[in-house]
Amino acid sequence: MTPRARLAVFALAAVGLAALLVWGLAGLPRFGDYEGRYGRIIARDTVPQRKATDAVGVTTFDYRGIDTLGEEFILLVSVVGVMALLRAHREETDESRARAQELERIRKAPLPSESLTLLGQTLAPIVLVLGIYVVAHGHLTPGGGFQGGVVLAAALLVLYLTTGRTAFRRLRAVAAFEAVEALGALGYALIGVGGLIAGAQFLHNFIPHGHSGLLTGGTVPLANVSVGFAVAGAIATLLSEMLDQDLLRSRGGR
Amino acid sequence: MSFLPYAVAAWLFLVGVWGIVTSRNLIHLVVCVTVVQASTYIVLLGIGYRTDAAAPIFADIPTSTPTVDPVVQALTLTDVVVEATVVALLLALAIQAERRFGTLDPNELGALRG
């Protein structure tokens, strides 16, 4: 199909799609007039029931906990998929020769400038602490395992950007990242099983909910931490795999 | 202007699909997919919005304060995570396509396969 014909087909379809969209969106409640029942019930009951103050976090990890379990496994499967796709190629190249070349490259690589390295070494711990803070307070203030996990992985990216590729390559420990991700996912599932052991349903919030402060919400902070690990591990694995492609390329590919 | 958020969502959806249709580069195409998905965030958050309501975080407001809907915000969070995984997979596929066919242009990919 020529680009012109494709555009014509798209224009036709887009008109129909736009009509459907307008029709569908017109049936929604007027903007600002929301009267949904579930949202109101959760906003009203989160603090009395769970003592934790972030209604969104409690919804994600408690009331809708089973969805989040699925979400976390989506993340896991996608990371496995990316690894399968990207590593397929690595096995095609001559492994031992490639490794020897790589070691040579690491040895010969010029060191990055000292100011850049210093900046990275200063910034990475700060980002790390921020990530831990966001994960740990996910049930009290905006944030949580998903957001904090990404911040944690960003600390790694800072190191990559400021210490140079080769140093990063030495530091890289994909096996550890994979383990962290898998343990995080497992931890979340185990929290669910804990509900069963406590004599209630899967993912039941079986830990005492406390009164105020960090130790509230029962299983919510635990779930936040396990998801934080899983996401940090997943993003770190993805970053490493993608950056590895960059290394393969610059090592003398096409 | 109560229709504006929905209009923005519809616009983002259509402009994203247009980008996908006319894309000449797989990376660009993946970015267009994220634009389409961004429209769903706006619909979700727009549905849950209440005029003059606070954010559903009760750390420093009384629990009786009217707030916007926390459920759609949690759904948006799920949406964002799923998008991130989809993008990662699509980018890996793009890398693989470039490796096999030496091009990122979807049109040329079709020609090579035929």
Side-chain angles (χ1 to χ4, degrees):
Chain A
M1 195 188 292
T2 64
R4 189 179 291 271
R6 188 189 304 167
L7 215 56
V9 171
F10 168 71
L12 208 66
V15 172
L17 191 64
L20 275 175
L21 271 176
V22 169
W23 184 44
L25 292 173
L28 289 175
R30 248 167 51 90
F31 183 67
D33 282 356
Y34 177 71
E35 282 300 329
R37 196 171 293 160
Y38 298 118
R40 259 185 308 166
I41 291 172
I42 283 181
R44 191 191 61 206
D45 290 346
T46 295
V47 177
Q49 281 185 2
R50 301 291 190 243
K51 311 296 178 204
T53 51
D54 179 4
V56 180
V58 175
T59 308
T60 307
F61 293 106
D62 189 345
Y63 298 124
R64 286 183 66 247
I66 193 94
D67 294 10
T68 306
L69 182 72
E71 187 183 344
E72 200 171 306
F73 286 148
I74 290 176
L75 190 66
L76 191 73
V77 168
S78 116
V79 170
V80 171
V82 168
M83 288 197 300
L85 275 171
L86 296 183
R87 284 187 185 173
H89 177 72
R90 204 184 298 160
E91 281 159 19
E92 290 162 17
T93 59
D94 186 345
E95 190 80 4
S96 59
R97 196 170 55 95
R99 193 166 296 155
Q101 278 180 351
E102 188 184 308
L103 284 175
E104 183 71 3
R105 225 182 98 84
I106 288 173
R107 213 165 48 77
K108 278 193 193 160
L111 288 169
S113 79
E114 283 179 18
S115 56
L116 201 61
T117 310
L118 184 69
L119 181 71
Q121 286 168 350
T122 319
L123 207 55
I126 297 173
V127 176
L128 206 66
V129 170
L130 176 69
I132 293 169
Y133 167 81
V134 172
V135 171
H137 291 73
H139 58 302
L140 300 177
T141 51
F146 287 106
Q147 298 91 324
V150 175
V151 176
L152 287 175
L156 207 75
L157 190 61
V158 168
L159 282 181
Y160 170 76
L161 289 173
T162 55
T163 59
R165 291 169 180 182
T166 45
F168 185 85
R169 180 85 172 109
R170 261 176 299 190
L171 203 147
R172 196 180 69 110
V174 172
F177 300 151
E178 288 163 7
V180 166
E181 141 131 71
L183 286 177
L186 178 71
Y188 195 95
L190 286 181
I191 290 169
V193 175
L196 291 177
I197 294 172
Q201 68 276 39
F202 187 67
L203 278 169
H204 172 73
N205 195 333
F206 65 96
I207 295 177
H209 302 144
H211 300 287
S212 65
L214 263 185
L215 293 177
T216 54
T219 56
V220 176
L222 276 183
N224 261 324
V225 170
S226 69
V227 167
F229 274 119
V231 172
I235 304 288
T237 312
L238 287 178
L239 275 176
S240 305
E241 291 292 336
M242 295 279 181
L243 298 176
D244 218 28
Q245 298 303 307
D246 188 28
L247 278 173
L248 283 173
R249 179 66 47 92
S250 60
R251 200 166 54 212
R254 266 189 301 273
Chain B
M1 296 299 276
S2 69
F3 64 90
L4 193 60
Y6 300 140
V8 169
W11 165 250
L12 277 180
F13 190 96
L14 286 171
V15 88
V17 176
W18 180 75
I20 292 171
V21 171
T22 59
S23 178
R24 303 299 304 272
N25 184 305
L26 288 177
I27 309 288
H28 168 266
L29 197 148
V30 174
V31 174
C32 291
V33 172
T34 68
V35 171
V36 172
Q37 194 140 15
S39 73
T40 64
Y41 311 154
I42 295 182
V43 171
L44 279 172
L45 295 176
I47 289 170
Y49 182 75
R50 280 175 78 186
T51 314
D52 297 327
I57 311 292
F58 300 98
D60 48 7
I61 54 174
T63 54
S64 55
T65 317
T67 65
V68 299
D69 190 346
V71 177
V72 289
Q73 298 206 356
L75 281 173
T76 309
L77 175 64
T78 309
D79 202 353
V80 171
V81 175
V82 170
E83 184 199 329
T85 64
V86 167
V87 166
L89 265 181
L90 288 178
L91 287 178
L93 280 170
I95 290 175
Q96 203 63 326
E98 202 268 353
R99 201 176 272 150
R100 303 269 168 192
F101 303 107
T103 176
L104 278 171
D105 189 336
N107 292 332
E108 290 180 33
L109 284 181
L112 276 172
R113 206 178 302 126

